[in-house]
C-alpha cells in the first residue's frame, strides 16, 4: 500500500472524534451494574502489582581446600628405592587402580590387599631417575605419576591426575673411624689395569734418534732407523720385543713379493741373508727397542715404495729373555752380536727362518736410487 498523508485539518477532525467517543462511552466514569447476584466490579482499576525482588543475602562461604594426604612412604636403600602408596591416594575413600600408577614409567611390582598398599622397588638408576649433586649431597629424583581411569562401564572419572616427587638424599661426606676400610667392590684402578690395552707404536727416527723423522724418503744403501715402543700407563714396567717384520709392495702383509727380515721371535736375518749392516741397537729404555735396516727395493718393481709390517710383543721387564722373547743380530752374515749374546749364542734353531707374520703396525718408507 502507498503512504497515506492526512490533510492538515485532520487534527481538528481528530479532536471531534475523541470528544464524540468520550460522550458515547459513559462507563469510563461510572460503576457497572452487576451481571449476576453476588458479583461486582471494583470501582478502582489499575495494572497488576509486580512483586519486589529481594536483594541477595551475604553468605559466609569459603571453598574447602583439599588437605595434602600422607599416603606415600619412601625408603631409600644403598642402591634401591622402596615406595609404598595407599590405594586411597587422595584420602577421599576412592581407591585407585594399580594400572593407573607408575614410578617414572615403571609399574607397580607388589600389592598388599589387606592394607590396600601398592609397592614399588627399583634400582636408583632405573625408572628415569634424575641424578643431581651439590656440595654436600647426592640426590636421586623420581616422579610418582597417577593417571585416572574411567569408572567401569562409564566414560567418567571422579579423580584428578597427580604427580608426586620422590627423592633420595645421600651424604657425600662421612666421618669414619681410624680402622682400615675393606671395600666390597673391585677398585676401579685395579679393574682398569687388568683390562688395559697396550698401545704399541712403530716410528721412523732421525739419524741421532732424537725425534721422529718427518720424511719417508730414503736412498738405496742408506740406513732406516726404526723405533718400536709400548705405552705402559699404570701397568708395571714392560719390555718390548720385535717378534717379526716383513716388507711388501702393498699394505697386504700376505701379498707377493714379500721380504721377511726379522723372524722367529726376534732374529734379524737381513744381515745374515744379504751381509748388510742391519741390526738391533743397544737398549736405552726397556719399553723401547731400536733397530737399523739398510734401504732396499724389490727387483723389477714399478713402485719405489715398500710397506713394513712388524709384530710387537711386550712382557714384564723383570722377566728373563728366552727363545720366545729375544733381539738377535748378525754381523758379516754369521756371527751373532749383542745386545742379547747369551740367548743368541744358543742353538742355531733359535734364529732359523720360516715363521708366519701377522700385522701389528705398519708404515711406508719410500726408497730412491742413489
Amino acid at each position: 500500500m502507498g503512504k497515506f498523508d492526512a490533510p492538515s485539518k485532520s487534527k481538528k477532525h481528530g479532536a471531534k472524534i475523541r470528544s464524540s467517543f468520550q460522550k458515547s462511552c459513559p462507563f469510563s466514569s461510572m460503576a457497572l451494574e452487576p451481571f449476576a447476584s453476588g458479583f461486582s466490579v471494583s470501582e478502582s482499576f489499575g495494572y497488576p502489582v509486580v512483586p519486589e525482588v529481594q536483594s541477595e543475602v551475604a553468605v559466609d562461604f569459603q571453598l574447602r581446600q583439599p588437605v595434602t594426604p600422607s599416603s606415600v612412604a619412601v625408603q631409600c636403600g644403598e642402591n634401591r628405592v622402596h615406595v609404598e602408596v595407599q590405594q586411597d591416594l587422595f584420602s577421599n575413600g576412592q581407591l585407585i587402580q594399580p594400572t593407573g600408577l607408575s614410578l617414572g614409567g615403571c609399574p607397580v611390582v607388589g600389592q598388599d590387599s589387606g592394607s590396600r598398599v601398592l609397592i614399588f622397588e627399583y634400582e636408583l638408576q632405573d625408572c628415569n631417575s634424575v641424578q643431581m649433586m651439590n656440595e654436600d649431597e647426592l640426590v636421586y629424583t623420581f616422579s610418582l605419576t597417577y593417571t585416572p581411569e574411567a569408572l567401569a562401564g562409564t566414560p567418567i572419572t571422579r579423580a584428578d591426575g597427580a604427580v608426586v616427587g620422590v627423592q633420595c638424599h645421600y651424604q657425600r661426606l662421612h666421618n669414619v673411624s681410624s680402622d682400615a676400610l675393606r671395600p666390597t667392590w673391585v677398585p676401579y684402578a685395579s679393574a682398569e689395569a687388568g683390562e688395559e690395552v697396550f698401545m704399541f707404536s712403530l716410528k721412523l727416527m732421525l739419524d741421532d734418534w732424537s725425534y721422529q723423522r718427518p720424511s719417508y724418503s730414503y736412498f738405496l744403501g742408506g740406513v732406516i732407523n726404526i723405533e718400536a715402543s709400548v705405552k705402559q700407563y699404570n701397568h708395571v714396567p714392560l719390555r718390548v720385543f720385535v717378534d717379526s717384520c716383513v716388507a711388501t709392495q702393498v699394505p697386504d702383509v700376505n701379498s707377493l713379493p714379500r721380504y721377511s727380515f726379522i723372524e722367529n721371535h726376534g732374529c734379524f736375518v737381513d744381515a745374515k741373508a744379504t751381509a748388510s749392516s742391519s741390526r738391533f741397537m743397544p737398549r736405552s729404555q726397556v719399553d723401547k727397542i731400536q733397530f737399523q735396516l739398510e734401504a732396499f727395493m724389490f727387483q723389477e718393481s714399478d713402485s719405489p715404495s715398500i710397506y713394513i709390517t712388524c709384530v710387537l710383543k711386550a712382557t714384564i721387564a723383570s722377566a728373563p729373555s728366552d727363545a720366545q722373547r729375544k733381539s738377535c743380530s748378525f754381523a758379516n752374515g754369521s756371527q751373532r752380536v749383542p745386545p742379547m749374546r747369551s740367548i743368541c749364542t744358543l742353538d742355531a734353531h733359535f734364529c732359523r727362518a720360516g715363521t708366519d707374520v701377522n700385522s701389528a703396525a705398519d708404515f711406508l718408507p719410500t726408497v730412491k736410487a742413489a
Side-chain angles (χ1 to χ4, degrees):
M1 297 177 63
K3 181 179 179 181
F4 176 76
D5 292 329
S8 59
K9 63 180 182 178
S10 61
K11 293 183 178 180
K12 296 180 179 180
H13 180 69
K16 292 180 179 181
I17 294 175
R18 285 195 295 271
S19 175
S20 174
F21 178 76
Q22 290 176 353
K23 291 180 179 180
S24 61
C25 298
F27 65 82
S28 60
S29 59
M30 296 176 60
L32 297 178
E33 294 294 331
F35 292 97
S37 177
F39 178 80
S40 63
V41 177
S42 173
E43 295 181 357
S44 62
F45 176 79
Y47 290 100
V49 177
V50 179
E52 295 182 359
V53 178
Q54 296 182 353
S55 60
E56 295 183 359
V57 179
V59 178
D60 184 13
F61 172 79
Q62 291 182 351
L63 182 64
R64 185 174 63 88
Q65 298 295 326
V67 178
T68 302
S70 56
S71 52
V72 179
V74 180
Q75 182 179 359
C76 299
E78 181 178 350
N79 56 2
R80 301 178 70 85
V81 59
H82 181 92
V83 181
E84 295 185 356
V85 183
Q86 296 285 341
Q87 280 193 272
D88 188 4
L89 178 62
F90 300 104
S91 299
N92 58 0
Q94 299 292 329
L95 302 184
I96 65 173
Q97 296 301 316
T99 54
L101 194 65
S102 69
L103 182 67
C106 297
V108 172
V109 297
Q111 182 175 1
D112 187 343
S113 302
S115 58
R116 295 178 176 176
V117 172
L118 305 177
I119 301 171
F120 296 90
E121 186 168 355
Y122 288 97
E123 297 285 339
L124 291 173
Q125 292 80 13
D126 293 341
C127 304
N128 295 308
S129 66
V130 178
Q131 180 179 341
M132 298 178 293
M133 185 169 59
N134 55 37
E135 185 177 353
D136 301 320
E137 292 182 322
L138 179 63
V139 183
Y140 291 88
T141 302
F142 302 84
S143 293
L144 180 66
T145 304
Y146 172 62
T147 304
E149 298 177 343
L151 297 175
T154 72
I156 68 170
T157 179
R158 289 192 170 91
D160 197 2
V163 178
V164 180
V166 175
Q167 289 187 337
C168 286
H169 294 247
Y170 297 90
Q171 296 295 322
R172 294 182 60 196
L173 304 177
H174 296 276
N175 292 324
V176 297
S177 67
S178 58
D179 295 336
L181 299 178
R182 292 186 177 181
T184 57
W185 63 90
V186 178
Y188 172 77
S190 300
E192 185 68 14
E195 299 176 1
E196 184 177 3
V197 177
F198 299 140
M199 300 297 295
F200 291 92
S201 66
L202 200 63
K203 300 177 182 179
L204 299 177
M205 305 298 291
L206 296 175
D207 293 342
D208 60 358
W209 302 94
S210 57
Y211 296 102
Q212 186 172 352
R213 196 173 192 269
S215 173
Y216 287 0
S217 297
Y218 294 85
F219 290 100
L220 285 174
V223 175
I224 303 175
N225 287 345
I226 303 174
E227 179 181 274
S229 62
V230 60
K231 293 289 187 181
Q232 57 193 42
Y233 298 106
N234 297 323
H235 201 279
V236 296
L238 297 174
R239 186 188 303 271
V240 65
F241 292 93
V242 181
D243 195 73
S244 60
C245 284
V246 64
T248 54
Q249 284 189 298
V250 294
D252 182 7
V253 71
N254 296 312
S255 65
L256 295 175
R258 53 180 292 183
Y259 174 56
S260 179
F261 57 89
I262 297 180
E263 299 177 341
N264 196 29
H265 313 299
C267 291
F268 209 148
V269 296
D270 178 66
K272 182 178 181 180
T274 65
S276 69
S277 61
S278 301
R279 63 191 179 100
F280 286 108
M281 306 297 292
R283 285 184 185 268
S284 58
Q285 297 177 226
V286 293
D287 59 346
K288 293 181 180 180
I289 185 170
Q290 300 168 337
F291 58 96
Q292 292 182 326
L293 174 67
E294 281 194 22
F296 62 89
M297 292 179 60
F298 286 100
Q299 183 70 20
E300 299 180 357
S301 172
D302 296 332
S303 172
S305 300
I306 60 172
Y307 288 83
I308 294 178
T309 304
C310 295
V311 176
L312 308 180
K313 65 172 58 173
T315 62
I316 298 175
S318 59
S321 300
D322 55 26
Q324 302 296 315
R325 292 170 288 271
K326 59 184 182 292
S327 301
C328 297
S329 301
F330 292 84
N332 300 324
S334 60
Q335 183 180 359
R336 298 177 180 90
V337 298
M340 300 186 64
R341 183 182 300 274
S342 59
I343 294 297
C344 296
T345 54
L346 294 177
D347 294 344
H349 70 273
F350 279 164
C351 284
R352 69 179 184 274
T355 57
D356 293 331
V357 179
N358 295 318
S359 175
D362 62 329
F363 55 88
L364 174 65
T366 300
V367 182
K368 298 180 180 181

